[in-house]
Amino acid sequence: LQIVAPVAEQLVRLEGEAGAGRFVRHVILRGLGFAHTNWTLPAEGCAYIQAELPPPAAIHADGAAQCRIEDCELNHLGAWGIELRRGCRDNAIVRCTIRDTANGGIKIGQPENCPRDVDETRGTLVADNRVLDAGQDFLGSSGIWIGQSGGNTVCHNEIAGPLMWGISVGWNWSYFPLNRARDNLIEQNHVHHVGTGILGAHAGIYALGTSPGTVIRNNHIHHVFHAEHWRGAGEGIILDNGCCGILVENNVVHDAVAGGFGTNFNCFGNLILNNIFAYGKEYQLTVYGDAPSGRPQPKGELFARNIVLFREGPLIKEKDWPAFTTLWDYNLYWREGGEPLRFMKYSFDEWKAKGLDEHSLVADPLFVDPNNGDFRLKPESPAWKLGFQPIDLGRVGPRE
């Protein structure tokens, strides 16, 4: 019998001063094991607006440049795994396994919008990592969190466990003040079986706030759960309040309780192209949250060349929208069983009369074997006529 009583809250700290030009440079942590940190809950408790950010990370960096954490294992941690907080530039976290943490896996940047460029953490590569069974105690955790930080690449990671978000990018609840989250690339990640804890999950991949140049593409997201304590959550991809300038393309999302895609009323200028959203349980698509007050404002997104396949629940959660000045077209919709398809309270013809989905089809997409997760299209699929492009999932997740 082995009993471990952790004492240290952090195991490694890189402490540079970016504002003074004193960086910690070229430090490499490779092939190391880190385990058993502690974090004691303050007497007043720990309540935070979102994502459980205040607790510390086992490996922490400020003012680090061109450093690498690679082929490391971080297990049984009392809070977060790795944090690159302030003034960190061009670092890499690759091929690490983070398992059994009380909080989330990796934090990039800060929630505060730093006034000086030198204090922004940016240009981080987060690749080929596994974040598994994280968020055991802090129920609002993220597997990978990016705050006020731009130019990061999060690719080929696997994320699973009792997390509220697999990947969360951006940190601003409106269009203004403009924030530093931009040009982030989220691609080829495998996010699955998230939300297995008490609160369930909000989303597999989640974006928040104006984020020009950010791309979410070629990710495989499936089995996103909610819980009795927070029904209505559990979506595959969410663009939340203030999202603007984000491209969502070539993702395959299936078996998310609350559908494949959701967006806030308070968003515009996003492109949702060439995705597969399949087998939501309660509904498939939603526009929710901060509906415009007073005169309805245009939603202003482009939703095109997407395939939506389902067998239960409505296609769209809402019964109506306050405005229809949005661009939906060249999509393919199909409800297994052949029941007539409704677009909220509207028939397909009534929906088209509002200027939506003029060239779209209601037809079986003819996937190879969707019940077993094979979403390749057969040669005779009607999706090809709409310009749909094949999605290759062969390189999703960590590369061996």
Side-chain angles (χ1 to χ4, degrees):
L1 176 65
Q2 183 183 47
I3 298 175
V4 178
V7 175
E9 293 186 354
Q10 296 183 298
L11 302 177
V12 175
R13 288 185 63 89
L14 305 181
E15 297 184 347
E17 297 181 28
R22 293 191 292 268
F23 289 90
V24 176
R25 295 183 183 273
H26 307 300
V27 172
I28 299 176
L29 305 178
R30 179 185 295 138
L32 301 174
F34 302 90
H36 302 299
T37 57
N38 182 43
W39 189 69
T40 302
L41 188 69
E44 67 275 15
C46 179
Y48 195 68
I49 186 171
Q50 188 166 299
E52 308 286 11
L53 297 179
I59 300 175
H60 174 97
D62 286 325
Q66 297 92 41
C67 297
R68 294 177 67 86
I69 305 170
E70 62 181 44
D71 297 311
C72 292
E73 292 194 7
L74 295 88
N75 298 316
H76 316 310
L77 305 178
W80 284 83
I82 300 171
E83 177 176 18
L84 306 183
R85 186 177 64 173
R86 182 177 60 253
C88 295
R89 297 294 180 89
D90 304 321
N91 300 291
I93 303 169
V94 296
R95 296 189 304 275
C96 294
T97 297
I98 303 173
R99 187 189 298 270
D100 187 32
T101 65
N103 210 313
I106 297 170
K107 282 191 282 186
I108 305 295
Q110 301 173 267
E112 298 81 19
N113 196 9
C114 53
R116 301 184 304 175
D117 289 347
V118 71
D119 290 323
E120 179 189 346
T121 289
R122 60 177 295 111
T124 308
L125 173 64
V126 182
D128 300 292
N129 302 286
R130 289 182 167 87
V131 180
L132 306 174
D133 301 321
Q136 294 288 344
D137 295 333
F138 296 88
L139 303 179
S141 302
S142 299
I144 298 172
W145 179 86
I146 298 174
Q148 298 282 0
S149 177
N152 304 289
T153 297
V154 178
C155 63
H156 294 284
N157 301 285
E158 180 187 6
I159 302 171
L163 296 159
M164 188 161 287
W165 299 276
I167 299 171
S168 176
V169 55
W171 200 250
N172 195 39
W173 274 262
S174 189
Y175 306 122
F176 300 102
L178 296 176
N179 65 92
R180 292 180 176 271
R182 60 179 301 150
D183 300 319
N184 289 301
L185 175 59
I186 315 297
E187 70 172 355
Q188 301 282 6
N189 298 286
H190 186 197
V191 181
H192 64 97
H193 295 89
V194 292
T196 56
I198 294 173
L199 284 185
H202 190 195
I205 296 180
Y206 173 84
L208 179 63
T210 302
S211 194
T214 289
V215 177
I216 300 171
R217 71 183 179 202
N218 284 99
N219 300 284
H220 186 195
I221 306 165
H222 60 96
H223 293 93
V224 182
F225 305 112
H226 71 189
E228 292 299 321
H229 303 281
W230 190 15
R231 298 190 65 83
E235 292 163 77
I237 298 173
I238 291 178
L239 303 184
D240 208 345
N241 199 340
C243 278
C244 175
I246 298 175
L247 171 62
V248 179
E249 67 175 354
N250 297 344
N251 300 283
V252 176
V253 185
H254 60 93
D255 294 285
V257 169
F261 179 73
T263 182
N264 198 295
F265 280 107
N266 189 28
C267 293
F268 77 97
N270 300 303
L271 307 175
I272 301 93
L273 308 175
N274 211 85
N275 302 279
I276 296 171
F277 304 121
Y279 297 141
K281 303 298 182 185
E282 295 193 347
Y283 45 86
Q284 316 309 312
L285 306 170
T286 177
V287 180
Y288 71 96
D290 303 288
S293 59
R295 182 181 178 183
Q297 299 299 310
K299 184 73 168 57
E301 70 188 6
L302 178 60
F303 186 90
R305 291 205 316 266
N306 300 291
I307 300 175
V308 184
L309 171 69
F310 66 113
R311 61 170 70 99
E312 55 188 316
L315 173 64
I316 301 171
K317 178 184 179 182
E318 293 71 36
K319 292 185 172 66
D320 207 352
W321 288 341
F324 289 83
T325 48
T326 189
L327 300 172
W328 285 33
D329 209 353
Y330 295 94
N331 300 298
L332 180 60
Y333 305 97
W334 185 245
R335 180 179 185 128
E336 292 181 351
E339 294 184 30
L341 194 60
R342 304 289 294 181
F343 293 75
M344 297 187 290
K345 65 181 182 180
Y346 304 102
S347 69
F348 194 23
D349 287 339
E350 291 170 334
W351 180 258
K352 287 182 175 181
K354 292 182 173 293
L356 300 173
D357 282 312
E358 180 181 353
H359 302 93
S360 298
L361 297 175
V362 174
D364 189 339
L366 299 178
F367 290 119
V368 171
D369 189 4
N371 289 312
N372 291 301
D374 190 342
F375 291 97
R376 292 175 299 159
L377 290 167
K378 296 178 181 177
E380 62 271 25
S381 169
W384 304 126
K385 298 178 182 179
L386 298 172
F388 191 86
Q389 300 297 310
I391 301 173
D392 181 12
L393 295 180
R395 299 178 64 245
V396 166
R399 294 162 289 191
E400 298 300 333

